[in-house]
Amino acid sequence: MTRIFALAIAALVAPSWVVAAPCPGNPQALGTERVIEIDAKTTPRVGRKQFPSTLPLGAKELVLTFDDGPWPGTTSKVLDALKSECVRATFFLLGRNAAAHPQLARRALSERHTVGHHSYSHPILSRMSLAKAEGEIDRGIAADEFAVYGERRTKPATPFFRFPGFAANETLLARMSERGLVVFGADVWAGDWVQMGPEQELRLILRRIEQVGRGIVLFHDTKGQTAQMIPAFLRELKKRGYRIVHVVPK
Ligand SMILES: [Zn+2]
């Protein structure tokens, strides 16, 4: 009885801490350490490469994010690797890709990843009028929401947005806050938009992660070199004692 009571108290005290469930078929899995819930009120903008602060993460805690998908071939490889390690990530979808490959977008959701938004066609939004930029953002959100949930809406189920090329301006950032959309930057990346071999990308991202110690990691699930290195990357994180945090809307 006392033990049950203690467990109940522990659950009440730390509601955002989820004890990692065993990973079927992979006892050595990296797994997902815990889940944090965020909203635009408490964390309107996250990622130290662009903003003054980032997600509330402890030492060696990482949030994995993938941009620009879904893309045939590469996204499914990334999803397979995450699944076999029981790791949950966040995918910032491009509306036109979600519209073209809705089954992949739905797979990301069904495997309990977070689905955020990244515009319709990846323009540099900071150079457009507010109306035009917001039109692009809304077109992207509506395409993603239709692909994933079957509902063409501009108020998304997960109000997370990443600007293409991180190109925001004060007007756009203020508008995102008004709309309750959390703007994601990043804390670390390998720069996988530059062509390199998967081994080189692996060495580079691990070195940079060791430098920052924690944070939001940015990849592109449209890149073959990234899709190829993710399995080794996840195994290496486990070996080095990193833990994965999954971020969801409040
Ligand atoms: Zn992008």
Side-chain angles (χ1 to χ4, degrees):
M1 196 62 197
T2 317
R3 196 167 151 263
I4 290 164
F5 184 68
L7 284 172
I9 292 290
L12 283 173
V13 171
S16 75
W17 282 79
V18 175
V19 178
C23 189
N26 187 358
Q28 293 310 311
L30 174 59
T32 299
E33 164 94 355
R34 66 183 180 112
V35 179
I36 53 174
E37 297 178 347
I38 61 164
D39 65 19
K41 278 194 204 103
T42 52
T43 53
R45 307 183 249 286
V46 291
R48 284 210 172 90
K49 287 263 200 191
Q50 294 76 26
F51 305 115
S53 58
T54 192
L55 292 168
L57 299 172
K60 293 205 145 190
E61 286 189 336
L62 302 173
V63 168
L64 303 187
T65 66
F66 295 89
D67 286 8
D68 293 3
W71 200 249
T74 51
T75 298
S76 41
K77 253 191 212 162
V78 169
L79 286 169
D80 289 347
L82 296 173
K83 191 178 186 179
S84 77
E85 292 286 338
C86 290
V87 164
R88 278 185 269 157
T90 297
F91 289 82
F92 290 94
L93 305 187
L94 215 50
R96 68 175 178 208
N97 290 347
H101 312 289
Q103 72 293 348
L104 278 173
R106 282 197 295 272
R107 183 180 161 195
L109 182 79
S110 74
E111 294 177 1
R112 301 176 71 201
H113 300 293
T114 292
V115 175
H117 309 278
H118 193 48
S119 84
Y120 185 79
S121 59
H122 217 277
I124 300 301
L125 296 170
S126 59
R127 292 188 198 144
M128 296 177 169
S129 67
L130 175 63
K132 210 171 163 209
E134 208 167 11
E136 243 293 327
I137 292 166
D138 281 341
R139 191 177 172 206
I141 291 174
D144 298 342
E145 295 288 299
F146 186 69
V148 177
Y149 307 98
E151 237 184 284
R152 206 173 284 284
R153 60 192 170 198
T154 54
K155 194 171 165 31
T158 297
F160 295 174
F161 186 77
R162 187 180 262 150
F163 280 89
F166 301 115
N169 57 36
E170 286 309 315
T171 313
L172 282 169
L173 290 174
R175 185 70 193 122
M176 295 292 102
S177 288
E178 258 170 51
R179 292 180 57 170
L181 287 154
V182 180
V183 175
F184 276 70
D187 294 298
V188 62
W189 56 61
D192 62 356
W193 50 89
V194 177
Q195 204 185 336
M196 62 183 109
E199 298 82 11
Q200 190 189 350
E201 184 176 328
L202 179 63
R203 282 195 301 273
L204 193 54
I205 189 62
L206 288 169
R207 194 170 73 226
R208 289 179 179 173
I209 285 172
E210 296 283 6
Q211 282 162 2
V212 295
R214 72 186 77 185
I216 304 164
V217 187
L218 165 76
F219 290 114
H220 292 82
D221 55 310
T222 49
K223 298 289 182 189
Q225 66 201 36
T226 293
Q228 276 182 60
M229 61 132 263
I230 290 292
F233 171 68
L234 299 176
R235 286 193 299 270
E236 196 57 34
L237 291 184
K238 170 82 176 179
K239 229 187 270 173
R240 296 183 184 206
Y242 285 92
R243 295 177 307 275
I244 300 299
V245 174
H246 183 49
V247 57
V248 299
K250 201 170 258 178

